[in-house]
Amino acid sequence: MKQTDTKTLILDTAQDLIQRLGVNGMSYQDISEVVGIRKASIHTHFPKKDDLLVALLGRYSDRVLRVVDGIIATSDEPEVKLRQYCGLFEATLSSGSQDKVCLYAIVGAELVTLNHPLGEQVRHFYRENEARLLFILEQGRATGDFRFTGESQATAALIFSLLEGGMLIARANGGIVQFQQVVEQLIQLLKG
Amino acid sequence: MKQTDTKTLILDTAQDLIQRLGVNGMSYQDISEVVGIRKASIHTHFPKKDDLLVALLGRYSDRVLRVVDGIIATSDEPEVKLRQYCGLFEATLSSGSQDKVCLYAIVGAELVTLNHPLGEQVRHFYRENEARLLFILEQGRATGDFRFTGESQATAALIFSLLEGGMLIARANGGIVQFQQVVEQLIQLLKG
DNA sequence: GTCTATAGCGCGATAGAC
DNA sequence: GTCTATCGCGCTATAGAC
């Protein structure tokens, strides 16, 4: 297994910084100070900042969706699957440096300032997550775990909006405890 | 009634720009091009950028909370009040320039990059909104309009997170129609 | 692949004329 | 109150030595 090469170190650092400061709040200089190389050297690995962002968003999306697919593939009850899915977001909120939110929550807020194809990557991540939530919800309705009325698709969008927004709100006010309570309340509402 | 003086024009323009681009994506130069004065002239009204931001966040918060208090003060059913509250966010999404979200959603995403006392203003806005949602929810439980189980406080945080996050998600994917469907689904869940 | 050095630009902010 | 002009800074990005 390859050790953490410089390219990976740059991506890891950039991800941490963006999850706290946003794309427009992070610079190559910030990365260089953490990684321990000069900012000019970063351009060797990612010539343009957009090159770095494309790679970073792709890696993050791939990782998350792979884990989510793993959760869905289990034989656990739908409620357990949903709790595990929400747990991914909760883990992000408390991992590594403080004040971190989902990468795609903060990048989504900066959507209008992004160049192609970054906006499309954001849309793709949102759609893929909602599709997986839809699957869990319909499975839960079939088993009787969930008893809510209305459209499953709208409920999937509701949950995803809630999780992404919840991280931003919790970071500013209430912290991880409030986030956990919100998730628990969501489960209660879905169980009717 | 005083005409739209330059100071108000600057605030209006800055608000529109920030709701689309964020604080770190908007500049005095951007404002000057819309208002039609030189960027140096903006410093006459708001010497530092933070001065402008403090004034803007204060004005926005005051306006929203005043409207919300008006909604609460009516004799409408709690469900109607909640729909009107959510309607405020929906109206923002489709008002003026496209791709706008709640000012405090995008500023909240940039929270870590803000200087004092901007972070505290963000927290205040979130708390005040959750408090008003809590009032509506408990009134709805008392009247029987809402039949959900669990904590009202967590549910208030849930709704607020959902609305702020929903605007960001809807702007990127799904648009105002999805936002409306999510709100409708929320009401369904609360009515049990 | 990393370094030094620098170009070129946009930013917030200030000085001083009108 | 608005203007022109400019400062100083941080940013992305590039050139060229090692």
Side-chain angles (χ1 to χ4, degrees):
Chain A
M1 178 177 198
K2 6 178 203 184
Q3 248 321 60
T4 51
D5 56 330
T6 304
K7 199 162 189 170
T8 302
L9 268 177
I10 293 171
L11 284 174
D12 293 345
T13 304
Q15 180 176 324
D16 185 274
L17 288 167
I18 294 178
Q19 285 183 280
R20 289 191 293 117
L21 308 169
V23 169
N24 297 325
M26 174 224 63
S27 69
Y28 271 33
Q29 183 62 36
D30 295 333
I31 299 174
S32 75
E33 289 170 5
V34 176
V35 176
I37 59 175
R38 294 299 191 156
K39 64 174 178 173
S41 305
I42 302 177
H43 287 280
T44 303
H45 304 278
F46 303 100
K48 314 277 187 182
K49 192 176 182 181
D50 279 352
D51 296 328
L52 192 160
L53 295 175
V54 168
L56 183 56
L57 290 181
R59 189 185 75 159
Y60 190 94
S61 177
D62 289 346
R63 285 179 174 178
V64 169
L65 295 179
R66 191 183 320 122
V67 172
V68 173
D69 285 339
I71 291 173
I72 288 181
T74 66
S75 57
D76 291 327
E77 297 169 3
E79 181 186 333
V80 173
K81 290 179 182 175
L82 182 57
R83 285 186 188 277
Q84 287 176 331
Y85 179 85
C86 296
L88 294 178
F89 292 75
E90 181 193 319
T92 298
L93 200 56
S94 59
S95 74
S97 314
Q98 264 183 325
D99 294 325
K100 281 168 64 174
V101 298
C102 172
L103 181 64
Y104 276 92
I106 201 157
V107 173
E110 300 174 292
L111 183 76
V112 184
T113 70
L114 303 179
N115 301 320
H116 291 304
L118 298 170
E120 189 50 48
Q121 286 183 281
V122 172
R123 268 171 237 117
H124 177 261
F125 184 76
Y126 291 173
R127 272 198 290 260
E128 292 296 315
N129 273 274
E130 287 180 8
R132 282 156 177 80
L133 278 166
L134 178 61
F135 180 87
I136 295 175
L137 287 174
E138 299 211 319
Q139 196 175 53
R141 276 184 138 173
T143 64
D145 279 35
F146 301 139
R147 294 190 177 81
F148 63 92
T149 61
E151 292 291 330
S152 290
Q153 169 56 39
T155 310
L158 182 153
I159 296 172
F160 190 66
S161 297
L162 166 65
L163 292 172
E164 295 288 9
M167 298 187 79
L168 294 170
I169 305 300
R171 179 174 65 166
N173 183 51
I176 198 169
V177 172
Q178 170 166 301
F179 187 84
Q180 291 168 330
Q181 291 172 338
V182 166
V183 168
E184 183 58 38
Q185 186 59 34
L186 168 68
I187 305 285
Q188 293 302 316
L189 289 176
L190 292 176
K191 293 172 75 173
Chain B
M1 181 172 197
K2 12 179 199 183
Q3 253 315 64
T4 51
D5 56 328
T6 304
K7 198 162 190 168
T8 303
L9 268 177
I10 292 170
L11 285 175
D12 293 345
T13 304
Q15 180 176 323
D16 186 273
L17 287 167
I18 294 178
Q19 285 184 279
R20 288 190 293 120
L21 308 169
V23 169
N24 297 325
M26 174 223 63
S27 70
Y28 271 34
Q29 183 62 35
D30 296 331
I31 299 174
S32 76
E33 289 170 6
V34 176
V35 175
I37 58 174
R38 295 298 191 159
K39 67 172 180 173
S41 305
I42 302 176
H43 288 279
T44 303
H45 304 278
F46 303 100
K48 313 278 186 181
K49 192 175 183 182
D50 278 354
D51 296 328
L52 192 161
L53 295 175
V54 168
L56 183 56
L57 290 181
R59 189 184 74 159
Y60 190 95
S61 178
D62 289 346
R63 286 179 174 178
V64 169
L65 295 179
R66 190 183 321 121
V67 172
V68 173
D69 285 339
I71 291 172
I72 289 180
T74 66
S75 56
D76 292 326
E77 297 170 4
E79 181 186 332
V80 173
K81 290 179 182 174
L82 182 57
R83 285 186 187 276
Q84 287 176 331
Y85 180 85
C86 296
L88 295 178
F89 292 75
E90 181 194 318
T92 297
L93 200 56
S94 58
S95 74
S97 315
Q98 264 184 326
D99 294 325
K100 282 169 63 174
V101 297
C102 173
L103 180 65
Y104 277 91
I106 201 157
V107 173
E110 300 174 291
L111 184 76
V112 184
T113 71
L114 303 178
N115 301 319
H116 291 303
L118 297 170
E120 189 50 48
Q121 286 183 282
V122 173
R123 268 171 237 116
H124 177 261
F125 184 77
Y126 292 172
R127 274 198 290 260
E128 291 297 315
N129 274 273
E130 288 178 7
R132 282 158 178 79
L133 278 166
L134 178 61
F135 180 87
I136 295 175
L137 287 174
E138 300 212 317
Q139 196 175 53
R141 275 184 139 174
T143 64
D145 280 35
F146 302 139
R147 295 191 175 80
F148 64 91
T149 61
E151 291 291 329
S152 291
Q153 169 56 39
T155 309
L158 182 153
I159 296 173
F160 189 66
S161 297
L162 166 65
L163 292 171
E164 295 288 9
M167 299 186 78
L168 295 171
I169 305 300
R171 179 174 64 166
N173 183 49
I176 198 170
V177 172
Q178 171 166 300
F179 187 84
Q180 291 169 331
Q181 291 172 338
V182 166
V183 168
E184 184 58 38
Q185 186 60 35
L186 168 69
I187 305 285
Q188 293 303 316
L189 289 176
L190 291 176
K191 293 172 76 173

